[in-house]
Amino acid sequence: MATLIQVSGLRKQYPLAGGGATPVLHGIDMTIETGEFVAIMGPSGSGKSTFMNILGCLDTPSAGDYWLNGQAVARLNPDRLAMLRNRQIGFVFQGFNLLPRISIADNVALPLLYAGVGKAARRQRAVELLQQVGLGTRSDARPNQLSGGQQQRVAIARALANRPPLILADEPTGNLDTHTSDEIMALFDRLNSEQGITLILVTHEPDIARCARRLVRFKDGHIVHDGAVNV
Amino acid sequence: MSWHAAPAEAWRALGANRLRTALTMLGMIIGVGAVVLMLAVGQGAQSTVRQAISAMGSALLVISPGSSSAGGLRGGAGTAPPLTLNDAQAMAQLPSLSAVAPVFPNSAQLVYGARNWNTTVYGVTPDYLTVRAWNLDDGQPFTHGDVRRGTRVALVGQQIVANLFGGTDPIGQTLRIKNLPFVVIGVLERKGQTLDGRDQDDAVLIPITAAQTRLFGTTFPGTVRFIIVQARSDAHMEDAEAELTQLLRARRRLADDADNDFTIRNLSAIAETAALSARAMAVMLGAIASVSLLVGGIGIMNIMLVSVTERTREIGIRMAIGARRSDILLQFLLEALLLCVLGGLAGVALGIGGAWLVGELAGMAVVVTGSAIALSFLFAAGVGVFFGFYPARQAALLKPVEALRHE
């Protein structure tokens, strides 16, 4: 299996107003192979969100190295990072983060817009993705006309738009009831096992973490567990 | 983002909040409308002045008798010895002049058939038509022979035609001026108003000798009220003034230390002044209107800044899924530009409509020029880019993590 993500000595600290800095990550080392399904757990303030932001190229580390798909990304400029987010990573958020004023098909097509795909091709791909997540008949609906579970499916369809090798999900079921959560997790599982998409998800819930095949626990900026799912 | 997708995105964003879009554009509409309207009014004033100047004739000097002074007592204008036809004949020999037109005007009652009308009757020579650049619509001008003989013939202005002749062709009709019959031999073309609002078409021209001897009578033989002369060109104006002064001082036997008892007025200079003040007014109106355009631009910047703050999360989402800084910059810049361009178009329509209304209601001359429209429209677009850039840059420089965290 090829290595998709490799981080070494990854540090992040936030400067304080009165001088000095708060360290959040204390030199993280980790390797994730293509096709893995990793759950990240940890109490709030443990640094897991910061870690995810760096993995998602939304934030840059203070020190250390990060290779994504063979490319060193720790010190890339904002435009190159934007390109990586567009092509290599799909995001699924707790709050769905869909644009409220445009149709769900347009939401799904947004990453394609920034990839420079033409209008007709965008539309076609968006409808195709919505069919994949079971919303093929609702493509012209607005996000607020859908239930939470449906909105999260739209977000997943959007994450898949540019066929990225990696999906990062931050508490994707945090706003959903148990039944809907199970459906979403089943969808993730299918993406991982059938399409070989690497999944990294942050969660508080042991039930959700159990769907993964590897568990990483954070505490105070360190990794305290990395291995079998033992929750 | 591809170049043609960006305007569509901007259009969609503006369409999402129509009321705000309309209100923001209002500032631009009023600004551009005001600029177009004010430029139209200014241009109208300028063209009015230009028409009046060209109707007056060019390179003209007017010589009239000045005041007499005897033993410290100064009379009013025209109390000095009058100018005469002989003066005019002497002037005609001056090399710098191309035409000399002595004028003897007086007011008189006209009668034709059952109608009558009071107007100014000008005793003139054929040169008068030359210096005034006045043509005939119909008929013939009178000749130097008519002037020599004092023939009772008349040229009538458009106002006279309308007031006295009604529908009939005035040529060949007999018009009674102070009860003396004159045959109408020509109709003058329409001339419009002078800068001081006098109707130049309310006039009758007759041979100056007929006016002097038959109609009004003069104290001294050959008296004229004033003489209009035309220099060979604008460049000859100063020479002409000097030659006229020398000639008249000699003819009037003025002592070397005596003041001129005549005045020479340069009509072109007066007209220039009028044209200059009209231009100044046009510039001032435009400048005042530009201020409203500027205020409209600031309004747009204001709204765009609010919009960036409100849509911080949207910006974060767009960045997360791959929007580059330039994409975000372009999006907000295009929104501002689109606001201005749409507002500008509506403003141009408003300005043209307003100009038409001013023309209709106030009876002012208004001229909407293509260049004025293009200028205000381009200015509006420039305002959009200028005032849109700062908010757009604020949006583009947001950090993705912080923008996403924004509630």
Side-chain angles (χ1 to χ4, degrees):
Chain A
M1 254 197 295
T3 300
L4 181 65
I5 287 173
Q6 187 175 2
V7 297
S8 65
L10 199 69
R11 289 173 188 280
K12 180 70 180 180
Q13 52 192 27
Y14 291 106
L16 288 174
T22 317
V24 181
L25 294 175
H26 302 274
I28 305 291
D29 300 298
M30 192 197 279
T31 304
I32 295 173
E33 307 292 327
T34 300
E36 279 199 82
F37 187 168
V38 183
I40 295 181
M41 297 188 80
S44 43
S46 62
K48 61 182 192 303
S49 293
T50 304
F51 184 63
M52 283 292 271
N53 284 338
I54 292 171
L55 286 191
C57 299
L58 292 167
D59 207 350
T60 49
S62 307
D65 288 309
Y66 170 24
W67 286 273
L68 173 63
N69 223 354
Q71 190 172 8
V73 298
R75 269 159 282 283
L76 287 181
N77 68 31
D79 279 358
R80 302 296 299 275
L81 289 176
M83 177 91 92
L84 277 178
R85 292 195 294 270
N86 187 238
R87 306 296 169 88
Q88 305 282 341
I89 306 169
F91 291 94
V92 179
F93 303 93
Q94 179 176 1
F96 320 135
N97 275 349
L98 300 174
L99 298 188
R101 295 187 194 278
I102 60 177
S103 74
I104 60 172
D106 285 339
N107 264 290
V108 171
L110 217 48
L112 301 163
L113 179 76
Y114 291 116
V117 176
K119 188 173 176 155
R122 287 204 303 266
R123 175 78 194 177
Q124 196 191 345
R125 173 87 176 129
V127 171
E128 183 187 304
L129 285 162
L130 284 171
Q131 275 162 1
Q132 229 181 88
V133 298
L135 289 168
T137 56
R138 307 294 310 271
S139 56
D140 291 318
R142 297 290 151 109
N144 61 7
Q145 294 170 322
L146 304 181
S147 70
Q150 287 172 322
Q151 290 190 47
Q152 196 59 300
R153 285 163 186 274
V154 175
I156 292 170
R158 181 180 66 186
L160 294 169
N162 279 322
R163 299 187 174 83
L166 173 66
I167 287 184
L168 298 178
D170 191 358
E171 306 253 17
T173 58
N175 288 6
L176 305 174
D177 60 53
T178 317
H179 178 66
T180 319
S181 295
D182 290 345
E183 282 178 13
I184 293 294
M185 290 317 294
L187 180 55
F188 274 132
D189 197 60
R190 226 170 61 220
L191 293 174
N192 177 245
S193 57
E194 289 174 14
Q195 299 187 23
I197 294 172
T198 308
L199 272 170
I200 303 175
L201 73 89
V202 171
T203 183
H204 278 116
E205 300 163 62
D207 283 353
I208 300 301
R210 237 171 258 131
C211 298
R213 286 175 262 292
R214 175 179 169 189
L215 175 68
V216 175
R217 276 186 187 281
F218 273 76
K219 194 177 181 189
D220 300 330
H222 296 280
I223 292 176
V224 293
H225 170 89
D226 186 354
V229 184
N230 58 352
V231 284
Chain B
M1 189 161 23
S2 51
W3 60 271
H4 55 276
E9 282 288 295
W11 176 254
R12 199 155 56 179
L14 292 182
N17 203 335
R18 289 198 181 82
L19 179 65
R20 174 191 287 182
T21 301
L23 286 174
T24 312
M25 269 196 298
L26 201 57
M28 223 53 223
I29 294 171
I30 291 171
V32 172
V35 170
V36 170
L37 175 61
M38 291 300 137
L39 287 179
V41 170
Q43 281 286 334
Q46 271 181 283
S47 80
T48 305
V49 169
R50 249 198 314 275
Q51 270 169 17
I53 290 170
S54 72
M56 195 178 69
S58 63
L60 299 186
L61 295 170
V62 177
I63 301 102
S64 46
S67 62
S68 68
S69 57
L73 180 70
R74 301 179 68 204
T79 54
L83 296 164
T84 63
L85 281 178
N86 290 338
D87 289 325
Q89 271 157 17
M91 287 175 190
Q93 309 304 316
L94 293 176
S96 60
L97 301 185
S98 62
V100 176
V103 184
F104 187 77
N106 218 328
S107 124
Q109 201 72 17
L110 312 182
V111 178
Y112 172 75
R115 304 186 195 198
N116 70 93
W117 178 250
N118 190 287
T119 191
T120 310
V121 175
Y122 293 85
V124 296
T125 61
D127 268 3
Y128 184 76
L129 294 181
T130 311
V131 300
R132 297 294 316 276
W134 209 346
N135 297 317
L136 294 184
D137 261 1
D138 200 6
Q140 303 284 330
F142 50 75
T143 61
H144 289 285
D146 289 321
V147 173
R148 257 197 315 280
R149 290 187 295 274
T151 319
R152 291 199 293 234
V153 290
L155 306 175
V156 293
Q158 294 287 341
Q159 196 63 41
I160 305 300
V161 175
N163 283 329
L164 281 186
F165 293 96
T168 53
D169 180 5
I171 305 288
Q173 302 295 326
T174 300
L175 175 69
R176 303 183 76 84
I177 306 175
K178 282 181 81 176
N179 257 342
L180 280 176
F182 282 75
V183 177
V184 177
I185 59 167
V187 176
L188 295 158
E189 70 177 5
R190 188 169 291 286
K191 197 80 169 162
Q193 295 198 333
T194 58
L195 285 177
D196 55 6
R198 199 161 43 78
D199 184 2
Q200 300 178 91
D201 296 317
D202 188 7
V204 173
L205 307 186
I206 61 173
I208 190 164
T209 43
Q212 289 166 326
T213 58
R214 298 173 203 269
L215 214 49
F216 303 120
T218 55
T219 327
F220 303 104
T223 297
V224 303
R225 191 70 51 78
F226 55 90
I227 301 172
I228 306 175
V229 302
Q230 187 163 36
R232 287 193 186 284
S233 73
D234 284 330
H236 287 86
M237 291 292 271
E238 278 184 34
D239 287 349
E241 222 172 315
E243 286 173 14
L244 283 168
T245 307
Q246 198 186 5
L247 176 81
L248 284 174
R249 285 185 73 89
R251 285 181 65 84
R252 295 159 88 88
R253 300 192 181 82
L254 293 178
D256 285 347
D257 58 348
D259 290 338
N260 289 342
D261 62 351
F262 54 90
T263 58
I264 300 176
R265 277 184 302 147
N266 185 336
L267 285 192
S268 303
I270 295 167
E272 275 303 304
T273 311
L276 221 67
S277 64
R279 202 172 312 139
M281 184 178 91
V283 168
M284 193 186 70
L285 288 177
I288 291 172
S290 318
V291 171
S292 59
L293 202 56
L294 210 65
V295 172
I298 293 170
I300 283 184
M301 175 155 75
N302 205 347
I303 292 295
M304 291 308 293
L305 277 174
V306 170
S307 175
V308 166
T309 310
E310 265 186 6
R311 287 156 67 190
T312 299
R313 193 178 182 82
E314 175 194 327
I315 294 163
I317 296 169
R318 285 177 183 272
M319 284 178 159
I321 60 179
R324 285 164 302 172
R325 287 180 168 185
S326 55
D327 291 325
I328 301 293
L329 184 84
L330 192 67
Q331 181 186 344
F332 281 87
L333 204 53
L334 273 174
E335 280 181 31
L337 189 64
L338 206 58
L339 274 175
C340 286
V341 166
L342 293 178
L345 282 177
V348 165
L350 183 78
I352 293 173
W356 178 81
L357 215 63
V358 166
E360 288 290 304
L361 296 184
M364 281 174 73
V366 286
V367 180
V368 181
T369 61
S371 61
I373 290 174
L375 183 82
S376 47
F377 189 72
L378 285 179
F379 195 43
V383 162
V385 173
F386 184 79
F387 287 109
F389 188 78
Y390 178 71
R393 190 168 162 278
Q394 294 288 96
L397 290 183
L398 285 171
K399 290 206 166 70
V401 184
E402 283 159 28
L404 270 175
R405 219 179 280 141
H406 192 270
E407 287 306 319

